[in-house]
Amino acid sequence: MPAQEVPTERLDNLAREAVVTVFDSMINETVTWLSRACLMENPSGDILAKLPISKGLYAIVVNWVGDAKGKVMLVLPKEAAEHFAMKLFDVPSLDWLEGDSEEALQDSLGELGNMLVGLVKGGLTKWYPNLALTTPKVLKNRRMKVDTSTMSFRRQYHFEGLGSELMIDFCCE
């Protein structure tokens, strides 16, 4: 079943619900939806340009396969990613953690990716009952590559939370 058969409103609601739920349940943080962009219709409308990423970014990428193929990528500016990890671990600074603070940060972002895409998968099972998820990849200072020539759907969602702006990129073949 092609991705365009999933009602667009459902994908919009799913993106909003998943982000709001995951940040609220993991760290009791309110996240507000700002806008969306369809990159299939307007490739130059990439929301990443709106994010404050001059100090770096983290992208959490999870793929799904089965009845459909696609990707979800959550992009957080570096400071927002650190703020998330500090709230998750309940520490005033990542330096308070034992061991490698970068590894702890990436592990916490991987858990964020697991929860987020688990909610997305649950919301898609009405249309795609057989989906499997990959292990989240946490990318530092880069984002996933998307070959739009193989995509039937690509939409980005822009949020505000953790004192910053955040973005989700959904892609389906």
Side-chain angles (χ1 to χ4, degrees), residues 20-54:
V20 168
T21 299
V22 75
F23 281 99
D24 184 46
S25 67
M26 288 185 83
I27 60 170
N28 197 31
E29 178 78 20
T30 301
V31 176
T32 307
W33 183 61
L34 299 174
S35 66
R36 69 172 178 251
C38 179
L39 296 184
M40 299 305 291
E41 296 168 6
N42 181 14
S44 65
D46 193 340
I47 290 174
L48 186 66
K50 295 181 180 182
L51 300 185
I53 57 171
S54 62

Side-chain angles (χ1 to χ4, degrees), residues 87-162:
K87 284 188 85 168
L88 185 67
F89 294 124
D90 194 26
V91 294
S93 165
L94 292 178
D95 295 333
W96 281 46
L97 299 172
E98 290 185 26
D100 184 357
S101 60
E102 178 66 24
E103 184 178 328
L105 172 62
Q106 290 203 15
D107 287 349
S108 69
L109 294 175
E111 287 304 313
L112 173 61
N114 274 331
M115 280 195 69
L116 178 70
V117 85
L119 292 169
V120 170
K121 177 187 173 191
L124 291 174
T125 56
K126 176 180 177 183
W127 293 273
Y128 310 121
N130 299 305
L131 288 179
L133 304 174
T134 64
T135 303
K137 290 181 187 174
V138 178
L139 309 173
K140 184 176 181 180
N141 294 324
R142 61 189 177 97
R143 61 192 257 192
M144 71 179 178
K145 293 182 176 152
V146 178
D147 179 3
T148 54
S149 69
T150 65
M151 298 290 138
S152 63
F153 177 90
R154 184 172 184 201
R155 192 169 275 210
Q156 292 178 335
Y157 302 90
H158 185 202
F159 294 89
E160 185 174 62
L162 298 167

Side-chain angles (χ1 to χ4, degrees), residues 77-92:
K78 180 180 183 233
E79 290 176 356
E82 291 172 348
H83 186 73
F84 171 80
M86 287 185 298
K87 284 188 85 168
L88 185 67
F89 294 124
D90 194 26
V91 294

